[in-house]
Amino acid sequence: MEHLIELRRRLMWSIGGFFVAFLFCFFFAKQLFNLLVIPFKWATQWAGLDPHKVELIYTAPQEFFFTQVKLAMFGGMVIAFPLIATQIYKFIAPGLYKNERNAFLPFLIASPILFLMGASLVYFFFTPMVMWFFLAMQQAGTDDQVQISLLPKVSEYLSLIMTLIFSFGLVFQLPVVTSLMTRVGMLSSEALVEKRKWAIVIAFVVAAILTPPDPISQIGLAVPTILLYEVSIWSARLIERSKERERLAREKREAAEAAAEKAADASST
């Protein structure tokens, strides 16, 4: 019953934090959406167009409202994630040893930082690149061809940028996941090196599934994934060396304690 009460308390804090963050983001939903449109403006500049004439449309009366709700939910989850992660840690921390808590805490801090790094990469580089790729497909109207212009819907543009942010943020968690698995003994640096070829293939497959069907975003997700895989190998080696040093220090300490006990027994005899 005590565990259930503690779980209820942590859930209430998490849900309450998300609800407050949701209301905050919904209140500023239009400003946040205009902020997300800035990469589109950069893409229009790269395409040689006027960024002040960027236009998005919605074709259903309720479309923009539900777009704001989705944006508020996404923003609320991002803002409330540190609080939610802290509540999860506080719930499981009493069941961990001190060294396990000390080992888990850095990963709890690194996870949101890596997610923000992936989201920043999407915002400042890959979204403008993807939109520039799509803008390049426009066709000017002449006597021989019709005019084809890009007029993205607000819901589709939000879905595109949310998909990219989620995909890159998820992929950037790779070092955290592999490091945790290495620390608990489920994975080793040698196994990661042996599976490198398969990891490269899987990276391109996952990129093709998670990103829009254009080569820029797919390659743009696959290449950082491969680089993060190499970072994971390096991190796993550091953890293995640290564990080896801890093992040697523990054996040395146990040997010293055994020698001290043996000397004490000999003196008493």
Side-chain angles (χ1 to χ4, degrees), residues 213-262:
D214 66 278
I216 295 178
S217 57
Q218 292 177 5
I219 296 174
L221 180 59
V223 172
T225 304
I226 297 170
L227 295 177
L228 288 169
Y229 189 84
E230 297 297 327
V231 172
S232 300
I233 295 175
W234 174 76
S235 177
R237 287 173 177 167
L238 290 180
I239 292 173
E240 289 172 348
R241 292 172 186 171
S242 176
K243 291 174 66 177
E244 182 64 18
R245 287 195 297 267
E246 292 175 358
R247 185 184 66 81
L248 293 175
R250 185 173 61 254
E251 291 179 353
K252 185 178 180 179
R253 184 173 61 254
E254 291 174 353
E257 292 175 354
E261 291 177 359
K262 186 175 180 180

Side-chain angles (χ1 to χ4, degrees), residues 185-200:
M186 298 176 59
L187 200 60
S188 66
S189 59
E190 294 182 359
L192 291 173
V193 172
E194 292 176 358
K195 300 297 188 295
R196 181 185 278 123
K197 295 180 180 179
W198 286 102
I200 294 174

Side-chain angles (χ1 to χ4, degrees), residues 21 54 59 88 92 102 143 170 208 214 240:
V54 171
T59 58
I88 294 174
I92 65 176
N102 294 335
D143 294 336
L170 185 65
D214 66 278
E240 289 172 348

Side-chain angles (χ1 to χ4, degrees), residues 5 7 13 20 27 37 71 79 118 121 136 142 173 226 238 257:
I5 294 174
L7 177 61
W13 274 102
V20 171
F27 184 78
V37 175
L71 178 58
I79 294 175
L121 189 64
T142 62
Q173 303 303 311
I226 297 170
L238 290 180
E257 292 175 354

Side-chain angles (χ1 to χ4, degrees), residues 136-152:
M137 296 182 178
Q138 293 186 119
Q139 179 175 286
T142 62
D143 294 336
D144 300 328
Q145 58 188 17
V146 298
Q147 180 173 347
I148 301 176
S149 302
L150 174 62
L151 290 175

Side-chain angles (χ1 to χ4, degrees), residues 104-174:
F104 186 76
L105 189 59
F107 298 108
L108 190 65
I109 298 173
S111 182
I113 293 176
L114 289 172
F115 184 89
L116 289 177
M117 289 175 60
S120 300
L121 189 64
V122 169
Y123 185 85
F124 291 104
F125 182 72
F126 283 104
T127 299
M129 287 291 294
V130 170
M131 296 309 298
W132 172 79
F133 176 81
F134 292 140
L135 283 169
M137 296 182 178
Q138 293 186 119
Q139 179 175 286
T142 62
D143 294 336
D144 300 328
Q145 58 188 17
V146 298
Q147 180 173 347
I148 301 176
S149 302
L150 174 62
L151 290 175
K153 296 171 62 177
V154 291
S155 58
E156 293 176 350
Y157 179 79
L158 179 64
S159 297
L160 172 64
I161 196 168
M162 283 175 54
T163 300
L164 289 173
I165 290 175
F166 176 77
S167 301
F168 277 77
L170 185 65
V171 167
F172 269 64
Q173 303 303 311
L174 183 61

